[in-house]
Amino acid sequence: MSMETDEPPPLDNLILGEIQVLLAEKRTSLSSLRTGIAIFALPLSVLSVLIATSHYYSFEKVMPLLLPLLLLNLGLVVLGTWLIYRSIKRFRHYEHRIRELTQKYRSLADFVD
């Protein structure tokens, strides 16, 4: 039993579908935020271990190893910061778009909130 017609789907279904896509994008930006926080926290934990164990080594002897590690940590901090900034920006954009749609179509506001 097929219900194929040439009529376009009702407007409510299209808007609800758009809101579902926006919610999926919001989840994706939240996972990107979680990844950015994890990448940002990694250099902090490595540096805290280095500081805690600093009395076991001399800085002059380990400087050739320490300098590349610090540069890598700096890169990870920059990457984590960029991911956090980008995901917060995108999250706010999706939230604003969902708010616009629910204000324009009040009948769908109950399903979104």
Side-chain angles (χ1 to χ4, degrees):
M1 183 172 192
S2 176
M3 297 190 69
E4 294 180 20
T5 61
D6 291 334
E7 297 176 15
L11 184 62
D12 286 351
N13 288 342
L14 288 175
I15 301 303
L16 193 58
E18 184 176 350
I19 289 174
Q20 286 177 337
V21 169
L22 288 170
L23 288 173
E25 290 293 329
K26 233 171 97 171
R27 280 192 309 272
T28 302
S29 67
L30 285 173
S31 68
S32 176
L33 177 67
R34 184 180 62 228
T35 303
I37 291 171
I39 289 175
F40 188 81
L42 180 68
L44 297 177
S45 63
V46 168
L47 289 177
S48 66
V49 167
L50 287 176
I51 291 170
T53 60
S54 64
H55 62 279
Y56 292 121
Y57 58 86
S58 172
F59 282 109
E60 295 82 26
K61 292 181 182 177
V62 296
M63 190 54 77
L65 298 172
L66 201 58
L67 191 61
L69 179 67
L70 292 176
L71 289 174
L72 178 66
N73 284 343
L74 178 66
L76 287 174
V77 166
V78 169
L79 176 64
T81 304
W82 179 76
L83 280 173
I84 291 169
Y85 171 76
R86 182 175 169 261
S87 62
I88 289 173
K89 184 178 171 185
R90 292 173 80 79
F91 181 82
R92 287 183 178 175
H93 170 73
Y94 297 136
E95 188 67 29
H96 178 69
R97 182 69 182 135
I98 290 170
R99 194 177 317 115
E100 283 178 354
L101 288 173
T102 54
Q103 287 175 354
K104 187 174 181 181
Y105 302 100
R106 293 280 184 190
S107 62
L108 296 176
D110 295 335
F111 297 112
V112 176
D113 291 335

